[in-house]
Amino acid sequence: MNFPDKLKSYQDRIDKHLRSDLPGSSTRPSRLHGAMNYSLQAGGKRLRPVLLLASHDLFPGQNDPIPAALAVEIIHTYSLIHDDLPAMDNSDLRRGVPTCHKAFDESTAILAGDALIPLAFELVAKGYQKIPELGLKLVNLLAENAGSQKLVGGQMEDLLAEGKQPDEDTLMYVHANKTAAMIRVSLLMGFLLGSRANDDDLLNLVSQAGYSLGLAFQAVDDLLDITSTTIELGKDASHDKDAGKMTWVSMIGPENARELAQQHTEHALASIDEIGGENQFLLELTHYMLRRKN
Ligand code: GRG
């Protein structure tokens, strides 16, 4: 199967389960479930669950990766809903449609984000209850990476840095935690559900690949803010620039940011290459992430 077809088949599989495995929009309170499903089904590249499935397929095993894949997309979606709120980035557009608080209202969007967090953990806990040792490990990994020293911590420092003089230490902290942590943990969870989960050398390589891929992804995201249009992005272009965000573009300029994205991509490719297994799709996905337009 060629790369675009494989990517689409992963995305379709995730979309299907997001529609069928979660409480539907008519579940009481329907306004809350309506808002949760609105944001989950607004689209999005499904990058994190695709990475999880592809990482699982490196060395496939008997475990079903879908509950974990849904969980990482659900945590990511909550973070977008909360990030878009007026108290944070105050964005009107996300995934090509009005943000959750614009389509509903602020209180509903806060609650929709809140409710998505335990839903993600419920899926992992229930999905892997027959393999409790691995299940707990996955719960722990997801909690750590979504928590105050990773995703939320990165978001906190990102907000604190707005309008400040750019400094590399802060920027690295924000990118490593706000962005790379969830990308890395997606690869790790997929790998741990596969048949080589006990191979620590491979696990280390997967971790390194995830970290580099996450940093490359964020450097590209910084560039897209100034090179892509609102239509292409599905969210406001020039948002970072207008908000005085600390980005690689504001710190080292677009050419150096592009160079940096390239370097992180090469590191990721080297690790994925060394991992071996059925790694062709992940190698192609890494290239695709560098040339993406949204
Ligand atoms: C509110 C705790 C909390 C965190 C918010 C996700 C996030 C952290 C902020 C969004 C802004 C941003 C630039 C984050 C960096 C990660 C990133 C580029 C997210 C967007 O991910 P994509 O491009 O989005 O994968 P889709 O819509 O395709 O899923």
Side-chain angles (χ1 to χ4, degrees):
M1 195 187 277
N2 69 10
F3 173 74
D5 289 349
K6 182 91 183 158
L7 177 61
K8 173 111 186 12
S9 104
Y10 278 136
Q11 289 167 327
D12 288 351
R13 200 168 145 206
I14 293 149
D15 285 342
K16 179 179 131 279
H17 283 280
L18 281 172
R19 281 192 303 272
S20 65
D21 297 4
L22 311 181
S25 297
S26 58
T27 307
R28 185 173 175 182
S30 59
R31 188 169 176 81
L32 177 62
H33 293 99
M36 291 157 70
N37 282 302
Y38 171 81
S39 289
L40 282 170
Q41 283 160 27
K45 296 178 287 297
R46 311 300 192 206
L47 176 67
R48 292 149 194 82
V50 166
L51 284 169
L52 195 148
L53 297 182
S55 178
H56 177 256
D57 285 347
L58 283 167
F59 305 103
Q62 299 301 315
N63 301 316
D64 179 9
I66 286 294
L70 298 184
V72 293
E73 183 63 15
I74 288 171
I75 292 287
H76 170 60
T77 302
Y78 118 75
S79 78
L80 297 179
I81 295 175
H82 281 189
D83 182 64
D84 290 335
L85 287 166
M88 297 216 204
D89 260 11
N90 194 17
S91 302
D92 293 351
L93 198 65
R94 170 70 68 183
R95 295 177 160 174
V97 295
T99 47
C100 193
H101 67 274
K102 284 279 164 190
F104 292 81
D105 55 62
E106 269 183 64
S107 328
T108 307
I110 292 170
L111 292 176
D114 287 344
L116 288 173
I117 306 170
L119 178 60
F121 288 100
E122 184 184 336
L123 281 166
V124 179
K126 279 201 183 126
Y128 304 111
Q129 60 186 331
K130 294 207 174 111
I131 39 170
E133 200 176 324
L134 180 55
L136 271 178
K137 195 171 192 171
L138 298 181
V139 165
N140 185 37
L141 264 178
L142 188 59
E144 267 178 24
N145 282 281
S148 64
Q149 296 180 62
K150 297 284 180 188
L151 172 64
V152 181
Q155 175 77 350
M156 182 80 251
E157 291 231 1
D158 190 28
L159 294 177
L160 291 171
E162 264 175 36
K164 298 257 168 64
Q165 278 299 354
D167 83 86
E168 199 164 329
D169 174 69
T170 306
L171 197 58
M172 275 307 290
Y173 181 91
V174 170
H175 290 185
N177 295 297
K178 185 181 82 168
T179 312
M182 285 301 296
I183 289 181
R184 178 176 155 271
V185 81
S186 301
L187 282 182
L188 285 174
M189 289 171 81
F191 175 78
L192 287 169
L193 284 159
S195 58
R196 299 286 295 275
N198 294 324
D199 187 326
D200 288 342
D201 292 339
L202 280 180
L203 188 67
N204 261 332
L205 286 170
V206 172
S207 171
Q208 280 169 31
Y211 185 66
S212 300
L213 202 56
L215 295 182
F217 180 83
Q218 185 59 61
V220 172
D221 204 68
D222 288 359
L223 278 160
L224 290 177
D225 185 67
I226 57 154
T227 57
S228 272
T229 62
T230 297
I231 301 271
E232 280 172 318
L233 287 178
K235 62 181 182 181
D236 296 332
S238 290
H239 180 87
D240 296 348
K241 193 160 162 251
D242 299 344
K245 287 253 179 213
M246 206 183 278
T247 67
W248 282 123
V249 172
S250 69
M251 191 145 104
I252 57 174
E255 271 142 43
N256 291 328
R258 167 66 53 193
E259 177 65 27
L260 197 69
Q262 187 86 44
Q263 279 171 17
H264 289 309
T265 299
E266 275 159 23
H267 287 150
L269 289 170
S271 300
I272 298 168
D273 198 41
E274 207 178 328
I275 292 166
E278 297 291 320
N279 62 2
Q280 194 54 38
F281 176 81
L282 268 182
L283 290 169
E284 291 191 43
L285 183 61
T286 304
H287 284 292
Y288 163 83
M289 282 166 67
L290 184 65
R291 57 169 202 270
R292 72 197 170 94
K293 292 278 176 281
N294 71 16

Short mmCIF file of all heavy atoms in Angstrom, two decimals, residues 175-226:
data_model
loop_
_atom_site.label_atom_id
_atom_site.label_comp_id
_atom_site.label_asym_id
_atom_site.label_seq_id
_atom_site.Cartn_x
_atom_site.Cartn_y
_atom_site.Cartn_z
N HIS A 175 8.64 23.71 23.78
CA HIS A 175 8.46 22.78 22.66
C HIS A 175 8.58 21.33 23.11
O HIS A 175 7.81 20.47 22.67
CB HIS A 175 9.49 23.08 21.56
CG HIS A 175 9.20 24.36 20.86
ND1 HIS A 175 9.92 24.80 19.78
CD2 HIS A 175 8.26 25.31 21.08
CE1 HIS A 175 9.43 25.96 19.37
NE2 HIS A 175 8.43 26.29 20.14
N ALA A 176 9.54 21.07 24.00
CA ALA A 176 9.74 19.69 24.46
C ALA A 176 8.50 19.20 25.21
O ALA A 176 8.13 18.03 25.09
CB ALA A 176 10.96 19.61 25.36
N ASN A 177 7.87 20.10 25.95
CA ASN A 177 6.77 19.65 26.81
C ASN A 177 5.39 19.87 26.22
O ASN A 177 4.55 18.98 26.26
CB ASN A 177 6.91 20.32 28.18
CG ASN A 177 8.17 19.84 28.86
OD1 ASN A 177 8.31 18.65 29.15
ND2 ASN A 177 9.14 20.72 29.04
N LYS A 178 5.16 21.05 25.65
CA LYS A 178 3.83 21.32 25.10
C LYS A 178 3.58 20.46 23.86
O LYS A 178 2.47 19.98 23.64
CB LYS A 178 3.72 22.80 24.72
CG LYS A 178 2.33 23.20 24.26
CD LYS A 178 2.24 24.65 23.86
CE LYS A 178 2.75 24.86 22.45
NZ LYS A 178 2.42 26.21 21.93
N THR A 179 4.60 20.25 23.06
CA THR A 179 4.40 19.55 21.78
C THR A 179 5.01 18.16 21.75
O THR A 179 4.33 17.17 21.45
CB THR A 179 4.99 20.38 20.62
OG1 THR A 179 4.55 21.71 20.75
CG2 THR A 179 4.58 19.81 19.28
N ALA A 180 6.33 18.06 22.04
CA ALA A 180 7.02 16.78 21.80
C ALA A 180 6.55 15.69 22.76
O ALA A 180 6.52 14.51 22.38
CB ALA A 180 8.53 16.97 21.89
N ALA A 181 6.14 16.05 23.98
CA ALA A 181 5.79 15.02 24.96
C ALA A 181 4.64 14.13 24.45
O ALA A 181 4.71 12.90 24.55
CB ALA A 181 5.42 15.66 26.29
N MET A 182 3.57 14.74 23.91
CA MET A 182 2.43 13.93 23.46
C MET A 182 2.74 13.13 22.19
O MET A 182 2.21 12.05 21.97
CB MET A 182 1.19 14.82 23.25
CG MET A 182 0.51 15.27 24.54
SD MET A 182 -0.06 13.90 25.59
CE MET A 182 -1.30 13.13 24.55
N ILE A 183 3.63 13.69 21.38
CA ILE A 183 4.04 12.97 20.16
C ILE A 183 4.91 11.77 20.55
O ILE A 183 4.71 10.65 20.08
CB ILE A 183 4.76 13.95 19.20
CG1 ILE A 183 3.70 14.92 18.64
CG2 ILE A 183 5.54 13.22 18.10
CD1 ILE A 183 4.19 15.95 17.67
N ARG A 184 5.84 12.02 21.46
CA ARG A 184 6.73 10.94 21.92
C ARG A 184 5.92 9.84 22.61
O ARG A 184 6.12 8.64 22.35
CB ARG A 184 7.78 11.55 22.86
CG ARG A 184 8.74 10.56 23.44
CD ARG A 184 9.80 11.28 24.28
NE ARG A 184 10.35 10.41 25.29
CZ ARG A 184 9.85 10.26 26.52
NH1 ARG A 184 8.80 10.95 26.91
NH2 ARG A 184 10.42 9.42 27.36
N VAL A 185 5.00 10.24 23.50
CA VAL A 185 4.27 9.21 24.24
C VAL A 185 3.35 8.41 23.31
O VAL A 185 3.08 7.23 23.58
CB VAL A 185 3.49 9.81 25.45
CG1 VAL A 185 2.16 10.44 25.06
CG2 VAL A 185 3.27 8.73 26.51
N SER A 186 2.91 9.01 22.23
CA SER A 186 2.09 8.25 21.27
C SER A 186 2.91 7.11 20.68
O SER A 186 2.45 5.96 20.59
CB SER A 186 1.58 9.17 20.15
OG SER A 186 0.82 10.23 20.70
N LEU A 187 4.14 7.44 20.29
CA LEU A 187 5.02 6.38 19.73
C LEU A 187 5.32 5.32 20.80
O LEU A 187 5.31 4.11 20.52
CB LEU A 187 6.33 6.98 19.24
CG LEU A 187 6.32 7.70 17.89
CD1 LEU A 187 7.72 8.18 17.54
CD2 LEU A 187 5.80 6.78 16.78
N LEU A 188 5.59 5.78 22.02
CA LEU A 188 5.94 4.83 23.09
C LEU A 188 4.78 3.87 23.39
O LEU A 188 4.98 2.66 23.52
CB LEU A 188 6.32 5.58 24.37
CG LEU A 188 7.69 6.25 24.37
CD1 LEU A 188 7.89 7.08 25.64
CD2 LEU A 188 8.81 5.20 24.25
N MET A 189 3.57 4.43 23.50
CA MET A 189 2.42 3.57 23.84
C MET A 189 2.18 2.54 22.75
O MET A 189 1.92 1.36 23.03
CB MET A 189 1.17 4.43 24.09
CG MET A 189 1.26 5.24 25.39
SD MET A 189 -0.07 6.45 25.56
CE MET A 189 -1.42 5.44 26.16
N GLY A 190 2.28 2.97 21.50
CA GLY A 190 2.08 2.03 20.39
C GLY A 190 3.11 0.91 20.44
O GLY A 190 2.79 -0.27 20.30
N PHE A 191 4.36 1.30 20.68
CA PHE A 191 5.44 0.31 20.73
C PHE A 191 5.22 -0.68 21.88
O PHE A 191 5.40 -1.89 21.73
CB PHE A 191 6.80 1.01 20.87
CG PHE A 191 7.94 0.06 21.03
CD1 PHE A 191 8.46 -0.61 19.94
CD2 PHE A 191 8.48 -0.19 22.29
CE1 PHE A 191 9.51 -1.53 20.09
CE2 PHE A 191 9.52 -1.10 22.45
CZ PHE A 191 10.04 -1.76 21.34
N LEU A 192 4.84 -0.14 23.05
CA LEU A 192 4.66 -1.00 24.23
C LEU A 192 3.53 -2.01 24.05
O LEU A 192 3.50 -3.05 24.70
CB LEU A 192 4.41 -0.14 25.48
CG LEU A 192 5.64 0.59 26.01
CD1 LEU A 192 5.26 1.63 27.06
CD2 LEU A 192 6.68 -0.39 26.57
N LEU A 193 2.59 -1.69 23.16
CA LEU A 193 1.50 -2.63 22.89
C LEU A 193 1.90 -3.69 21.86
O LEU A 193 1.15 -4.62 21.59
CB LEU A 193 0.26 -1.86 22.40
CG LEU A 193 -0.50 -1.14 23.52
CD1 LEU A 193 -1.37 -0.02 22.97
CD2 LEU A 193 -1.35 -2.14 24.30
N GLY A 194 3.08 -3.53 21.29
CA GLY A 194 3.55 -4.48 20.27
C GLY A 194 4.33 -5.64 20.89
O GLY A 194 4.38 -5.80 22.11
N SER A 195 4.96 -6.42 20.01
CA SER A 195 5.56 -7.68 20.47
C SER A 195 7.01 -7.53 20.96
O SER A 195 7.59 -8.50 21.42
CB SER A 195 5.49 -8.71 19.34
OG SER A 195 6.17 -8.18 18.23
N ARG A 196 7.61 -6.32 20.84
CA ARG A 196 8.99 -6.17 21.30
C ARG A 196 9.07 -5.23 22.50
O ARG A 196 10.10 -4.59 22.76
CB ARG A 196 9.87 -5.64 20.16
CG ARG A 196 9.94 -6.55 18.94
CD ARG A 196 10.81 -7.78 19.18
NE ARG A 196 12.21 -7.43 19.39
CZ ARG A 196 13.09 -7.23 18.41
NH1 ARG A 196 12.72 -7.37 17.16
NH2 ARG A 196 14.35 -6.91 18.69
N ALA A 197 7.96 -5.13 23.25
CA ALA A 197 7.84 -4.16 24.34
C ALA A 197 8.94 -4.29 25.39
O ALA A 197 9.26 -3.32 26.07
CB ALA A 197 6.48 -4.31 25.01
N ASN A 198 9.52 -5.48 25.52
CA ASN A 198 10.53 -5.66 26.58
C ASN A 198 11.94 -5.34 26.14
O ASN A 198 12.88 -5.50 26.92
CB ASN A 198 10.46 -7.10 27.11
CG ASN A 198 9.15 -7.34 27.81
OD1 ASN A 198 8.64 -6.42 28.46
ND2 ASN A 198 8.59 -8.53 27.64
N ASP A 199 12.09 -4.90 24.93
CA ASP A 199 13.43 -4.58 24.42
C ASP A 199 13.75 -3.11 24.72
O ASP A 199 13.29 -2.20 24.04
CB ASP A 199 13.45 -4.85 22.90
CG ASP A 199 14.84 -4.71 22.32
OD1 ASP A 199 15.61 -3.86 22.81
OD2 ASP A 199 15.15 -5.45 21.37
N ASP A 200 14.54 -2.90 25.78
CA ASP A 200 14.81 -1.52 26.24
C ASP A 200 15.59 -0.70 25.23
O ASP A 200 15.44 0.52 25.17
CB ASP A 200 15.55 -1.54 27.58
CG ASP A 200 14.63 -1.98 28.71
OD1 ASP A 200 13.40 -1.92 28.51
OD2 ASP A 200 15.13 -2.38 29.78
N ASP A 201 16.47 -1.35 24.47
CA ASP A 201 17.22 -0.59 23.46
C ASP A 201 16.28 -0.03 22.40
O ASP A 201 16.39 1.13 21.99
CB ASP A 201 18.27 -1.49 22.78
CG ASP A 201 19.37 -1.88 23.77
OD1 ASP A 201 19.53 -1.16 24.78
OD2 ASP A 201 20.03 -2.91 23.53
N LEU A 202 15.35 -0.88 21.98
CA LEU A 202 14.37 -0.40 20.99
C LEU A 202 13.51 0.71 21.58
O LEU A 202 13.23 1.72 20.94
CB LEU A 202 13.48 -1.56 20.53
CG LEU A 202 14.06 -2.50 19.49
CD1 LEU A 202 13.05 -3.60 19.14
CD2 LEU A 202 14.45 -1.75 18.22
N LEU A 203 13.11 0.50 22.84
CA LEU A 203 12.25 1.50 23.50
C LEU A 203 12.95 2.86 23.54
O LEU A 203 12.34 3.90 23.29
CB LEU A 203 11.90 1.03 24.92
CG LEU A 203 10.86 1.87 25.66
CD1 LEU A 203 9.50 1.76 25.00
CD2 LEU A 203 10.75 1.45 27.13
N ASN A 204 14.25 2.84 23.83
CA ASN A 204 15.04 4.08 23.85
C ASN A 204 15.06 4.76 22.49
O ASN A 204 14.95 5.98 22.40
CB ASN A 204 16.49 3.78 24.22
CG ASN A 204 16.71 4.07 25.68
OD1 ASN A 204 16.03 4.91 26.24
ND2 ASN A 204 17.65 3.35 26.28
N LEU A 205 15.21 3.95 21.47
CA LEU A 205 15.22 4.51 20.11
C LEU A 205 13.87 5.11 19.76
O LEU A 205 13.78 6.17 19.13
CB LEU A 205 15.58 3.42 19.08
CG LEU A 205 17.05 3.01 19.04
CD1 LEU A 205 17.22 1.75 18.17
CD2 LEU A 205 17.92 4.15 18.48
N VAL A 206 12.80 4.43 20.18
CA VAL A 206 11.44 4.95 19.92
C VAL A 206 11.28 6.29 20.64
O VAL A 206 10.74 7.25 20.09
CB VAL A 206 10.37 3.93 20.39
CG1 VAL A 206 8.98 4.53 20.30
CG2 VAL A 206 10.45 2.65 19.55
N SER A 207 11.78 6.34 21.86
CA SER A 207 11.69 7.58 22.65
C SER A 207 12.45 8.71 21.94
O SER A 207 11.94 9.83 21.80
CB SER A 207 12.25 7.31 24.04
OG SER A 207 12.38 8.49 24.75
N GLN A 208 13.66 8.43 21.50
CA GLN A 208 14.46 9.44 20.79
C GLN A 208 13.77 9.89 19.51
O GLN A 208 13.74 11.09 19.18
CB GLN A 208 15.82 8.87 20.41
CG GLN A 208 16.83 8.86 21.53
CD GLN A 208 18.07 8.02 21.15
OE1 GLN A 208 18.44 7.95 19.98
NE2 GLN A 208 18.67 7.39 22.13
N ALA A 209 13.22 8.92 18.78
CA ALA A 209 12.52 9.27 17.53
C ALA A 209 11.36 10.20 17.84
O ALA A 209 11.15 11.20 17.15
CB ALA A 209 12.01 7.99 16.84
N GLY A 210 10.61 9.89 18.89
CA GLY A 210 9.44 10.70 19.25
C GLY A 210 9.82 12.11 19.64
O GLY A 210 9.15 13.08 19.26
N TYR A 211 10.90 12.22 20.39
CA TYR A 211 11.36 13.54 20.83
C TYR A 211 11.78 14.39 19.62
O TYR A 211 11.33 15.53 19.47
CB TYR A 211 12.52 13.35 21.80
CG TYR A 211 13.02 14.63 22.42
CD1 TYR A 211 12.22 15.37 23.28
CD2 TYR A 211 14.31 15.09 22.15
CE1 TYR A 211 12.68 16.55 23.86
CE2 TYR A 211 14.78 16.26 22.73
CZ TYR A 211 13.96 16.98 23.58
OH TYR A 211 14.42 18.14 24.14
N SER A 212 12.59 13.82 18.75
CA SER A 212 13.05 14.56 17.57
C SER A 212 11.89 14.92 16.65
O SER A 212 11.82 16.02 16.12
CB SER A 212 14.08 13.76 16.78
OG SER A 212 15.19 13.48 17.59
N LEU A 213 11.00 13.96 16.49
CA LEU A 213 9.83 14.20 15.64
C LEU A 213 8.97 15.33 16.20
O LEU A 213 8.48 16.19 15.46
CB LEU A 213 9.01 12.90 15.59
CG LEU A 213 8.06 12.66 14.44
CD1 LEU A 213 8.78 12.76 13.12
CD2 LEU A 213 7.45 11.27 14.58
N GLY A 214 8.84 15.35 17.52
CA GLY A 214 8.05 16.40 18.18
C GLY A 214 8.69 17.77 17.99
O GLY A 214 8.00 18.76 17.72
N LEU A 215 10.01 17.83 18.12
CA LEU A 215 10.69 19.12 17.95
C LEU A 215 10.62 19.58 16.49
O LEU A 215 10.43 20.76 16.20
CB LEU A 215 12.15 19.03 18.41
CG LEU A 215 12.36 18.77 19.91
CD1 LEU A 215 13.85 18.75 20.24
CD2 LEU A 215 11.66 19.81 20.77
N ALA A 216 10.76 18.62 15.57
CA ALA A 216 10.63 18.97 14.15
C ALA A 216 9.22 19.48 13.86
O ALA A 216 9.03 20.49 13.19
CB ALA A 216 10.92 17.74 13.28
N PHE A 217 8.23 18.79 14.42
CA PHE A 217 6.83 19.17 14.20
C PHE A 217 6.59 20.61 14.66
O PHE A 217 5.94 21.40 13.97
CB PHE A 217 5.92 18.21 14.97
CG PHE A 217 4.46 18.49 14.82
CD1 PHE A 217 3.76 18.02 13.71
CD2 PHE A 217 3.77 19.24 15.76
CE1 PHE A 217 2.41 18.28 13.56
CE2 PHE A 217 2.42 19.51 15.61
CZ PHE A 217 1.74 19.02 14.51
N GLN A 218 7.12 20.96 15.83
CA GLN A 218 6.88 22.31 16.35
C GLN A 218 7.63 23.37 15.54
O GLN A 218 7.12 24.46 15.32
CB GLN A 218 7.27 22.40 17.83
CG GLN A 218 6.93 23.73 18.45
CD GLN A 218 5.44 24.07 18.39
OE1 GLN A 218 4.62 23.34 18.94
NE2 GLN A 218 5.08 25.15 17.70
N ALA A 219 8.86 23.05 15.09
CA ALA A 219 9.60 24.02 14.27
C ALA A 219 8.81 24.27 12.97
O ALA A 219 8.68 25.42 12.52
CB ALA A 219 11.00 23.50 13.97
N VAL A 220 8.24 23.21 12.39
CA VAL A 220 7.42 23.38 11.17
C VAL A 220 6.17 24.20 11.51
O VAL A 220 5.78 25.10 10.75
CB VAL A 220 7.04 22.00 10.57
CG1 VAL A 220 6.04 22.15 9.44
CG2 VAL A 220 8.28 21.27 10.07
N ASP A 221 5.57 23.91 12.68
CA ASP A 221 4.37 24.65 13.08
C ASP A 221 4.68 26.15 13.20
O ASP A 221 3.88 26.99 12.77
CB ASP A 221 3.88 24.12 14.43
CG ASP A 221 2.40 24.38 14.63
OD1 ASP A 221 1.60 23.77 13.90
OD2 ASP A 221 2.06 25.23 15.48
N ASP A 222 5.83 26.48 13.74
CA ASP A 222 6.24 27.89 13.86
C ASP A 222 6.36 28.53 12.47
O ASP A 222 5.95 29.67 12.26
CB ASP A 222 7.62 28.00 14.55
CG ASP A 222 7.55 27.70 16.04
OD1 ASP A 222 6.44 27.44 16.55
OD2 ASP A 222 8.60 27.74 16.71
N LEU A 223 6.91 27.75 11.53
CA LEU A 223 7.07 28.28 10.16
C LEU A 223 5.72 28.45 9.46
O LEU A 223 5.49 29.45 8.78
CB LEU A 223 7.93 27.32 9.34
CG LEU A 223 9.43 27.47 9.53
CD1 LEU A 223 10.14 26.20 9.08
CD2 LEU A 223 9.95 28.68 8.74
N LEU A 224 4.83 27.46 9.65
CA LEU A 224 3.53 27.52 8.97
C LEU A 224 2.74 28.75 9.38
O LEU A 224 1.98 29.30 8.59
CB LEU A 224 2.71 26.24 9.26
CG LEU A 224 3.24 24.96 8.61
CD1 LEU A 224 2.39 23.77 9.02
CD2 LEU A 224 3.26 25.09 7.09
N ASP A 225 2.94 29.19 10.62
CA ASP A 225 2.24 30.39 11.10
C ASP A 225 2.48 31.59 10.18
O ASP A 225 1.59 32.41 9.99
CB ASP A 225 2.70 30.70 12.54
CG ASP A 225 1.92 31.87 13.15
OD1 ASP A 225 0.71 31.68 13.38
OD2 ASP A 225 2.51 32.95 13.38
N ILE A 226 3.69 31.65 9.60
CA ILE A 226 3.96 32.80 8.73
C ILE A 226 3.91 32.46 7.24
O ILE A 226 3.88 33.36 6.41
CB ILE A 226 5.34 33.46 9.05
CG1 ILE A 226 6.47 32.44 8.91
CG2 ILE A 226 5.34 34.12 10.42
CD1 ILE A 226 7.80 33.12 8.60
#
